Amino acid sequence: MKRTALLLFLLALPACGSSYAQQGPSDTLRAYAQALQEGRVDAAYRLLSDEAKRSMSLEAFRRAVRDNPDDALEIARAIARPAADPVVTATVTMPNGEELLLVFEGGRWRLDAAAVDLYGQATPRQALVGFLRAFERRRYDVIMRYVPDAEKEGLGEPAGGAPGEAGAAAGEASAAVGEGAAQPAGPAGAAGSAGADASQKPAGRTGTARAAAGAAQLTPEKLKAAWEGPQREQINRVVQAIKAALPTATIEETGDSASMAYGAGGTVAFTREHGVWKIKDF
């Protein structure tokens, strides 16, 4: 009996391997759509990921389909006719919080182009990783890529009492920031803060590019002078806090805006401009 059972098991292995090899994204989509169209709700639920199942129980899934039959059928019809061939991808998070994208092509996993783009801006996380890398290398010319256009030109609205008059020195702009400001206002405004502890919740926002650079237009040279001058300690504290939070932080996206919490009350605010992500505040 043992030999017979073992023989049956060995005979079944090729069939199982073939089944898994043949099942691709399109097969799963079709199976899910067909199950919904035929009212086989439990079968459709079994095709959900573990994370999806954790967020919605089987009973809740049954109720959602039962209470919204027309919507369920509409979803099923849309899924059954994808606009393009599915692309299988995987995301690997590195210890420093950087994400690498892999694409399954020709039966093999291959690295996406983002793996060689050291200063990418395709996603908020990629932009933040690129900004941190540029900061560590003191590449102020690269950091400028992550500054919104309005901040570069000194068009951002001053806040927290920063006057922003052209010709004011970086130190003068720093002193002009409103009291109680505790965190910088993005790559351009970080140097204009009053040097308070960046890990605390700010009582008011600091100045923008004008306050940081002391002129209408921000340049790499002005940014370097500010960040390697009186504001060096503060910007280093902010960067370290962001780096510590990045590996496990969640970045929330809403349209062309995104945000990531860090430290005790700090927030990195992103904005999408010309199709790429930039850092508005931190």
Side-chain angles (χ1 to χ4, degrees):
M1 291 180 64
K2 289 182 179 179
R3 291 185 63 182
T4 302
L6 179 60
L7 179 61
L8 290 173
F9 175 74
L10 292 175
L11 288 173
L13 282 178
C16 292
S18 174
S19 174
Y20 279 111
Q22 292 175 1
Q23 184 179 11
S26 296
D27 301 309
T28 302
L29 287 173
R30 282 194 295 268
Y32 181 78
Q34 187 174 357
L36 285 179
Q37 289 172 333
E38 295 175 357
R40 294 183 289 109
V41 180
D42 289 18
Y45 185 80
R46 285 194 292 271
L47 293 171
L48 299 181
S49 68
D50 291 341
E51 183 178 354
K53 290 176 182 175
R54 283 192 293 269
S55 64
M56 176 177 280
S57 67
L58 174 58
E59 184 55 39
F61 185 77
R62 289 170 177 165
R63 186 166 56 251
V65 175
R66 183 180 64 246
D67 294 346
N68 305 280
D70 294 339
D71 293 336
L73 288 176
E74 183 179 346
I75 291 173
R77 286 192 291 268
I79 288 176
R81 299 188 302 274
D85 293 334
V87 177
V88 182
T89 63
T91 302
V92 179
T93 303
M94 309 299 285
N96 64 353
E98 184 173 359
E99 291 184 347
L100 291 180
L101 181 68
L102 293 92
V103 181
F104 194 70
E105 294 178 342
R108 294 184 178 183
W109 286 101
R110 303 178 188 274
L111 289 169
D112 184 67
V116 296
D117 189 356
L118 299 179
Y119 302 109
Q121 295 174 261
T123 67
R125 185 177 296 272
Q126 193 180 56
L128 188 55
V129 169
F131 167 78
L132 293 174
R133 180 180 285 119
F135 178 82
E136 289 176 352
R137 289 159 176 75
R138 299 296 187 261
R139 290 290 307 277
Y140 294 99
D141 57 324
V142 175
I143 290 176
M144 292 295 294
R145 301 180 191 174
Y146 300 98
V147 182
D149 289 351
E151 295 290 340
K152 288 181 184 177
E153 301 300 326
L155 301 177
E157 291 183 12
E165 286 89 349
E172 294 173 342
S174 175
V177 176
E179 293 182 2
Q183 77 180 67
S193 65
D197 187 352
S199 67
Q200 299 175 0
K201 186 75 173 177
R205 288 183 52 193
T206 61
T208 58
R210 294 186 203 176
Q217 187 171 14
L218 184 66
T219 66
E221 292 74 24
K222 291 171 183 174
L223 196 58
K224 178 180 179 179
W227 279 3
E228 294 188 8
Q231 302 306 317
R232 182 173 180 175
E233 268 189 47
Q234 186 193 7
I235 187 64
N236 284 338
R237 284 200 301 269
V238 172
V239 167
Q240 291 306 314
I242 293 174
K243 286 177 64 177
L246 184 58
T248 57
T250 298
I251 298 180
E252 302 288 343
E253 288 187 42
T254 305
D256 289 333
S257 299
S259 63
M260 186 196 88
Y262 72 91
T267 301
V268 181
F270 305 86
T271 183
R272 184 158 46 193
E273 198 173 71
H274 310 305
V276 298
W277 288 94
K278 299 184 179 182
I279 300 172
K280 185 177 180 181
D281 290 292
F282 56 64

